[in-house]
Amino acid sequence: MFDNKSILITGGTGSFGHKYTKTILERYKPKRLIILSRDELKQFEMQQVFNAPCMRYFLGDVRDGDRMMQAFRDVDYVIHAAAIKQVPAAEYNPMECIKTNIYGAENVIKAAIANKVKRVIALSTDKAAGPINLYGATKLASDKLFVAANNMVGEGTTRFSAVRYGNVVGSRGSVVPFFKGLIEDGATSLPITHPDMTRFWISLQDGVDFVLTNFARMQGGEIFVPKIPSVRITDLAEACGPGLKHEIVGIRPGEKLHEIMCPGDDSHHTIEFDDHFVITPSITFFGKDIDYSKNLLGEKGKSVPMGFEYHSGNNPDFLSIEQIKQLDEGKD
């Protein structure tokens, strides 16, 4: 569906953007593949790796609505990946996080509708489910904006959905590169926030593949959640630094002990498919009667029990230390 189409990714110079670009160029023949970001150095560095004739590099910030209007001209598909993601940074700089993650989302939506973009998928996070930190709260607001945007299109054909998943193996700023950096510097112990902490875990390639598949699945208004394994932070530390002592440093500002992707309070809106969940809109779209139990790929799902919660601590699928090592080794 991406052959001879124009595709744009906001925040495209990040880890996801690199893997997404590599995947699109290997599998499809796009008319244009546009990398939109505000950092000219990262764009320059990315151009040294990805310089196919279809590539376009577009400097701009999602906070700038006029620039988004220009960037989205004649674009068919948009992946909205731009965000301020670091939890402590957002706690200490709240308005900067709000400007990018909420106002930026609104600018993306307006530009997509005005330019008649076919489909938009916004990247969300498990921290948006029952948020206790500002980053999660802004991403919850963003999710709500993208869901409600399907009501703003009127008779237009633009459709909006979101994809929510957990920690990405080896992505910039994540714990694995942090641990490895400490080990390379000769650390004799690794800092552990809490011995019982768990997280959802997904490879970068699996995240990209999930997003690409959901462009074909989406009807508009869904929050897609993949079924992925959990990891224990202590197992993760052991996989990175076998035999190193663990130093308990306490939970950081805005962190949870466990993460949730499908909250129990949303169970009456949650549909389970073979390899993913869909959280359906809590609002009714004017003039649309969508059956979310069957997607556009013909896959069929069923409602989960009332009170069901998809939780990193009670997830039936946990990675062993050896599996964590294998996933990290195969992340590229």
Side-chain angles (χ1 to χ4, degrees), residues 61-225:
D61 193 322
V62 293
R63 297 183 185 188
D64 185 342
D66 290 339
R67 190 63 167 157
M68 293 306 100
M69 288 291 182
Q70 292 178 321
F72 282 32
R73 285 177 186 164
D74 300 320
V75 168
D76 298 295
Y77 301 104
V78 169
I79 301 92
H80 177 47
I84 289 179
K85 303 181 177 73
Q86 291 293 317
V87 170
E91 295 296 300
Y92 283 104
N93 303 275
M95 277 310 302
E96 298 308 301
C97 186
I98 290 168
K99 289 173 187 175
T100 294
N101 296 359
I102 298 179
Y103 299 161
E106 182 182 24
N107 288 333
V108 166
I109 290 165
K110 288 180 177 178
I113 294 174
N115 285 283
K116 297 182 172 60
V117 173
K118 291 183 175 66
R119 295 181 185 180
V120 179
I121 287 183
L123 300 192
S124 184
T125 168
D126 48 10
K127 293 172 179 61
I132 65 165
N133 54 60
L134 185 74
Y135 167 55
T138 61
K139 293 303 284 185
L140 174 60
S142 172
D143 290 351
K144 294 291 187 180
L145 286 169
F146 278 99
V147 169
N150 292 279
N151 244 358
M152 296 166 56
V153 297
E155 296 182 357
T157 58
T158 306
R159 295 293 177 265
F160 299 87
S161 293
V163 164
R164 176 183 292 172
Y165 51 67
N167 292 45
V168 177
V169 181
S171 61
R172 294 180 199 170
S174 68
V175 69
V176 171
F178 174 65
F179 280 165
K180 289 183 175 180
L182 292 176
I183 294 167
E184 289 172 3
D185 290 339
T188 57
S189 65
L190 293 177
I192 302 295
T193 50
H194 192 286
D196 297 329
M197 184 172 282
T198 64
R199 288 293 181 265
F200 287 108
W201 214 244
I202 190 171
S203 73
L204 199 50
Q205 187 64 66
D206 286 345
V208 168
D209 290 343
F210 188 61
V211 170
L212 291 176
T213 301
N214 288 328
F215 271 112
R217 284 180 173 138
M218 64 182 283
Q219 301 178 77
E222 308 97 325
I223 297 175
F224 292 98
V225 177

Side-chain angles (χ1 to χ4, degrees), residues 288-322:
K288 300 183 180 75
D289 184 17
I290 300 173
D291 179 7
Y292 289 104
S293 66
K294 182 177 180 180
N295 61 38
L296 295 186
L297 288 179
E299 299 166 331
K300 295 181 180 180
K302 59 181 180 180
S303 298
V304 301
M306 285 295 291
F308 169 83
E309 196 165 73
Y310 188 35
H311 185 296
S312 67
N314 62 17
N315 188 357
D317 184 9
F318 268 85
L319 294 178
S320 67
I321 293 173
E322 188 58 36

